[in-house]
Amino acid sequence: RIGYSGDEMPTVLLASVVGACPHSPAIFGDGISASSDCELYFPVARGLVVDWSLVEQLWRHAFLDVMKLNPAEHCVMVAEPLLNPRASRDNMASVLVETLGFSRIAFVLTSVAVGYASGRSELLCLESGHGSTLVFPLWGGYVLPHACSRTPFAGQDITQHLSALLEARGVRLLEGARATKE
């Protein structure tokens, strides 16, 4: 999700998938249809970036092609997940500032942003996405790091389990169900 501060909704909602098609340029996010003959690449696995060159292509597409902004005229705030490895933060900063040319960058923990968005400074939050699930307390506007937990069990595992249950009953799912979901 990418947008401008103060807007009600993000300007860009882009799935983290890149399609490499035989006779056309790369296709990003929702532009990929499940029936296309593109090879699909997923640069994020279990909540962590595994292919920075694909993430750079996604961000370049979102900021330059879709939003049509000049990064040198803007600063960017990145909401990063709790327990994000330091190397991941360093890579994000490198791509956004050195490669794409943003003038400034700021990081905020998604857990703190959740607290601000809900208008609470004390809460217990369960954040479950496609590849990982986090549980964390927020007290006085601060995350209590000793009480945070991350597990690689999340939405993709539930999807796989439900798919297996359906297939055991004779219901066949289409190939590329993940691409359709994305």
Side-chain angles (χ1 to χ4, degrees), residues 92-168:
M92 276 191 274
S94 175
V95 170
L96 290 168
V97 175
E98 296 170 12
T99 306
L100 296 179
F102 280 95
S103 60
R104 287 167 284 180
I105 187 169
F107 290 95
V108 63
L109 291 173
T110 54
S111 51
V112 175
V114 166
Y116 290 147
S118 67
R120 300 170 192 265
S121 60
E122 287 85 28
L123 58 87
L124 178 65
C125 188
L126 172 73
E127 182 181 314
S128 188
H130 177 71
S132 65
T133 299
L134 297 125
V135 177
F136 51 85
L138 193 67
W139 185 260
Y142 295 97
V143 174
L144 303 178
H146 65 281
C148 299
S149 179
R150 178 187 180 121
T151 180
F153 182 79
Q156 72 184 23
D157 301 297
I158 294 169
T159 300
Q160 288 172 353
H161 180 69
L162 292 175
S163 297
L165 291 175
L166 288 171
E167 287 180 12

Side-chain angles (χ1 to χ4, degrees), residues 15 38 51 54 56 63 68 75 108 114 130 166 176:
C38 296
D51 190 331
L54 291 179
E56 179 185 331
F63 289 123
K68 301 193 183 316
C75 54
V108 63
V114 166
H130 177 71
L166 288 171

Side-chain angles (χ1 to χ4, degrees), residues 28-111:
F28 302 97
D30 300 330
I32 302 170
S33 69
S35 61
S36 72
D37 60 346
C38 296
E39 180 97 22
L40 301 181
Y41 297 97
F42 299 89
V44 178
R46 297 288 177 190
L48 298 173
V49 175
V50 293
D51 190 331
W52 282 102
S53 65
L54 291 179
V55 168
E56 179 185 331
Q57 289 178 41
L58 277 168
W59 286 349
R60 186 178 300 281
H61 171 71
F63 289 123
L64 304 180
D65 301 337
V66 178
M67 294 183 74
K68 301 193 183 316
L69 59 82
N70 179 358
E73 297 173 356
H74 295 273
C75 54
V76 64
M77 182 181 79
V78 178
E80 69 173 333
L82 193 63
L83 307 176
N84 193 31
R86 176 65 189 237
S88 184
R89 176 188 281 196
D90 293 344
N91 284 335
M92 276 191 274
S94 175
V95 170
L96 290 168
V97 175
E98 296 170 12
T99 306
L100 296 179
F102 280 95
S103 60
R104 287 167 284 180
I105 187 169
F107 290 95
V108 63
L109 291 173
T110 54
S111 51

